[in-house]
Amino acid sequence: MRVLYVVGTNLSRNTSANISHNAYVQGLLENGCKVDILMSSASWGEKDDALPTWKEAQYFTYNSVSNADRLKKYFKAIFDKQSPAHRTSVMNEQQPKEKIAQKKSIKKIIRTLLKRIFDFTFNTSQLYNLERTWLQNAKHFKESSPYDLIVSNSSPAASHKLVSDLISKKRISKARWIQIWEDPWFFDLYGGHTEEVKKEEHRLLQAAQEVYYVSTLTLHYQKNHFPDCADKMKHIPLPYLKLEENHNNVNKENIQFGYFGDYYAHTRNLQPFYNAAVASDTKALIIGDSDLNLKPTKSVSIEGRITLDKLNVLQNQTDVLVHLCNVRGGQIPGKIYHYSATTKPILFILDGTTEEIARIKEYFSQFNRYIFCENRKDDILQKIDDIKKGVIQSEEKPVLAFSPKQVVKELIKI
């Protein structure tokens, strides 16, 4: 089976989504498919050598960096760069705080003005603003012979847009087309989208033969939002990318918990876990970007996003992996699937509405793999204590249903 796999990012970029994107490619290859990958080029500093390169696949990469991107990077460099005189003055303890605040205020005004000029000049409000250069370049792709299957994977939604354009312009022959939406577009947890986005999402959904969502709750919501497309909508779990894992004996007296992922306040509430870890003097690692100002303690270490190879080392040193659900909406953070490739205990912290918590727990309970608790300090404390005492039993082995080969086998119905 010849497959065209389309993704509007570069597969070497270190993101949770790209780990799954690479896992889809792995699954296609493991199921005997001949795979062509159509993707974007890497931008500045995006490449992570810990992510795989598939020698059996053929890559078609198109530039995604526009002149607007270069100009934006240039302006950012100017503002981030400080002259020696400025650095000296800021370090001078005798400099009045009012003067420092005034300089920061002037800088903010100039930055805001330049952003407005930039947004107006380059029309940054358009639908596919971040991917428009890639869409412009990748439209020149042309198949060497017809494909049996086309798989477009978001995010970004530009992946689906490109396939739609290539088919309409006869650059690729019409074939069975599967869209995979890791997250919805208009009804995404982050919000802030226009009705124009909703109309475009609807148009893309109508164009595909099959549409897959990685959360049963997202599937439920999307069927209600787009009822005329409900019959083609289905669920498929994210495949994990198996990484090397240490099998050290767990020291119950000094057990270490690890949360690895971003935790911005409007998406995930990590505060109860942090409070529970501090209160119980539990050794914990918290790695990821956030707008929360959590302070490291004697037992809790906190760090921002790191490269995948460093992340793997820290994850291997962790005894219990911590998964935290989103505050609402039912979208499932991809980390839970990747954690499911390990043999480590997984603390699954539920969040959302009562209905969302019930649906999420119902789906994941069938694998007998996770230790569930709700996102409250007292409930988390109880589960931490139970884990330390060894009174909770779960199957500490990879969930085969989330393996690349099995997920893709279900997807393409071999």
Side-chain angles (χ1 to χ4, degrees):
M1 177 183 288
R2 291 190 72 242
V3 179
L4 177 64
Y5 180 80
V6 183
V7 60
T9 184
N10 187 276
L11 293 185
S12 66
R13 186 183 179 193
N14 178 13
T15 65
S16 179
N18 263 340
I19 294 176
S20 297
H21 295 158
N22 278 285
Y24 280 117
V25 175
Q26 178 181 331
L28 288 167
L29 294 170
E30 288 178 341
N31 279 288
C33 299
K34 184 178 179 182
V35 183
D36 288 349
I37 300 171
L38 178 51
M39 66 178 190
S40 73
S41 61
S43 299
W44 303 281
E46 283 189 338
K47 189 173 176 58
D48 191 328
D49 292 332
L51 288 165
T53 299
W54 306 104
K55 296 180 181 178
E56 308 96 319
Q58 185 172 2
Y59 289 81
F60 295 87
T61 305
Y62 291 87
N63 177 48
S64 61
V65 181
S66 67
N67 290 332
D69 295 328
R70 293 186 177 92
L71 185 61
K72 193 172 183 179
K73 184 172 184 289
Y74 175 74
F75 278 126
K76 186 176 186 301
I78 290 176
F79 280 110
D80 288 345
K81 186 177 180 181
Q82 295 179 341
S83 66
H86 180 66
R87 284 198 300 270
T88 301
S89 64
V90 171
M91 293 171 62
N92 186 345
E93 295 182 2
Q94 301 302 318
Q95 184 179 15
K97 291 182 179 180
E98 295 80 4
K99 195 170 184 179
I100 296 174
Q102 185 180 28
K103 288 183 178 181
K104 287 182 178 179
S105 177
I106 293 172
K107 182 178 176 180
K108 184 177 180 180
I109 292 171
I110 296 174
R111 187 195 294 273
T112 301
L113 179 61
L114 285 174
K115 184 179 184 304
R116 288 178 179 174
I117 294 172
F118 181 90
D119 290 344
F120 176 79
T121 304
F122 294 103
N123 188 22
T124 58
S125 62
Q126 71 171 27
L127 280 177
Y128 299 102
N129 176 60
L130 295 177
E131 300 86 22
R132 59 180 171 180
T133 298
W134 177 66
L135 287 170
Q136 183 69 23
N137 292 322
K139 71 179 183 181
H140 298 295
F141 173 83
K142 185 172 177 59
E143 65 186 13
S144 58
S145 59
Y147 292 100
D148 302 300
L149 174 67
I150 301 166
V151 179
S152 54
N153 204 168
S154 65
S155 54
S159 312
H160 310 311
K161 161 71 171 171
L162 179 62
V163 172
S164 175
D165 290 349
L166 290 174
I167 290 175
S168 66
K169 296 179 184 301
K170 303 188 185 308
R171 305 294 294 182
I172 54 177
S173 305
K174 195 166 185 178
R176 180 188 175 197
W177 177 16
I178 292 174
Q179 291 180 5
I180 301 173
W181 290 79
E182 287 154 355
D183 293 313
W185 193 1
F186 179 78
F187 293 99
D188 180 74
L189 174 63
Y190 298 94
H193 297 304
T194 64
E195 283 295 319
E196 189 180 8
V197 167
K198 186 178 181 180
K199 290 179 182 178
E200 177 67 0
E201 181 177 8
H202 191 197
R203 185 189 73 80
L204 293 174
L205 294 173
Q206 289 176 318
Q209 281 72 53
E210 299 165 53
V211 179
Y212 287 85
Y213 295 97
V214 301
S215 163
T216 55
L217 260 173
T218 299
L219 172 65
H220 171 71
Y221 289 146
Q222 288 292 95
K223 281 186 173 185
N224 291 335
H225 295 321
F226 302 101
D228 62 323
C229 297
D231 289 345
K232 66 175 70 175
M233 293 177 174
K234 304 172 186 177
H235 167 258
I236 198 78
L238 277 179
Y240 53 64
L241 195 64
K242 192 77 172 76
L243 302 171
E244 290 186 12
E245 181 186 1
N246 291 337
H247 299 275
N248 299 329
N249 293 326
V250 176
N251 180 358
K252 297 296 183 182
E253 298 300 320
N254 195 31
I255 192 169
Q256 177 169 277
F257 289 69
Y259 174 85
F260 304 100
D262 295 342
Y263 52 102
Y264 290 96
H266 62 288
T267 57
R268 290 169 208 152
N269 180 17
L270 193 65
Q271 192 76 51
F273 170 74
Y274 171 81
N275 292 342
V278 172
S280 60
D281 200 27
T282 295
K283 191 176 179 183
L285 285 174
I286 296 176
I287 309 293
D289 291 341
S290 177
D291 54 359
L292 293 180
N293 188 27
L294 300 184
K295 301 292 186 183
T297 68
K298 182 180 177 182
S299 59
V300 179
S301 300
I302 297 176
E303 190 173 346
R305 179 177 289 204
I306 56 178
T307 58
L308 189 58
D309 55 345
K310 294 179 181 177
L311 182 66
N312 292 340
V313 171
L314 291 176
Q315 185 169 301
N316 277 331
Q317 295 171 352
T318 297
D319 302 306
V320 179
L321 299 169
V322 178
H323 167 73
L324 175 62
C325 288
N326 293 327
V327 295
R328 65 183 182 281
Q331 293 168 232
I332 305 295
K335 284 291 181 184
I336 189 58
Y337 297 102
H338 306 311
Y339 289 169
S340 300
T342 73
T343 59
K344 297 177 182 292
I346 300 171
L347 179 62
F348 196 121
I349 304 177
L350 296 158
D351 210 344
T353 66
T354 301
E355 181 186 359
E356 287 168 350
I357 288 174
R359 282 178 174 266
I360 292 171
K361 188 175 182 180
E362 179 184 16
Y363 175 74
F364 284 97
S365 291
Q366 66 182 302
F367 304 108
N368 194 30
R369 179 68 180 86
Y370 313 101
I371 301 164
F372 294 99
C373 65
E374 295 197 17
N375 198 18
R376 304 190 314 270
K377 178 183 173 181
D378 61 331
D379 202 8
I380 296 170
L381 270 172
Q382 182 61 58
K383 290 301 185 293
I384 287 176
D385 188 52
D386 290 343
I387 291 170
K388 288 180 177 180
K389 292 177 179 177
V391 300
I392 296 181
Q393 299 296 323
S394 62
E395 293 186 6
E396 294 172 8
K397 61 182 182 180
V399 179
L400 294 181
F402 301 158
S403 68
K405 187 173 184 178
Q406 185 60 36
V407 169
V408 173
K409 183 178 180 180
E410 292 298 318
L411 186 73
I412 63 180
K413 302 295 192 299
I414 290 181

